[in-house]
Amino acid sequence: MNCKDHLKIVIASDVDYENLIAEIYRDDEFIALLQQEDGINDIKIEFSSDVSPMNFDWLQNALNEAKRRLLEQ
């Protein structure tokens, strides 16, 4: 993971979703959200349309951490 890219994960309730979601940010840039509308065994990701290129390992870590935090709720 690149140390200069700060990961922020926000667990939130959104009117578009029945269940909680996890929003993923790199610094202040919204990257994606994880949603669990089809159950905890079918987590889906929705990427922002404006995402700039990023390090693969950073993204993989961010997705895993967001899923872990979402399922803890």
Side-chain angles (χ1 to χ4, degrees), residues 41-56:
N41 293 320
D42 193 13
I43 303 291
K44 294 197 171 51
I45 184 167
E46 299 175 27
F47 287 99
S48 169
S49 60
D50 300 334
V51 175
S52 58
M54 69 190 75
N55 177 276
F56 176 84

Side-chain angles (χ1 to χ4, degrees), residues 17 22 24 30-36 42-48 59 62-64 66:
Y17 301 94
I24 302 170
F30 173 70
I31 301 298
L33 70 82
L34 296 183
Q35 54 100 337
Q36 54 182 334
D42 193 13
I43 303 291
K44 294 197 171 51
I45 184 167
E46 299 175 27
F47 287 99
S48 169
L59 178 60
L63 293 171
N64 288 329

Side-chain angles (χ1 to χ4, degrees), residues 5 8 10 13-15 23 26-27 33 35 47 51 53-54 68 70-73:
D5 293 335
K8 181 170 93 173
V10 177
S13 178
D14 187 295
V15 295
E23 297 176 338
R26 178 180 56 184
D27 299 323
L33 70 82
Q35 54 100 337
F47 287 99
V51 175
M54 69 190 75
R68 184 187 67 77
L70 181 62
L71 296 179
E72 283 182 350
Q73 300 299 312

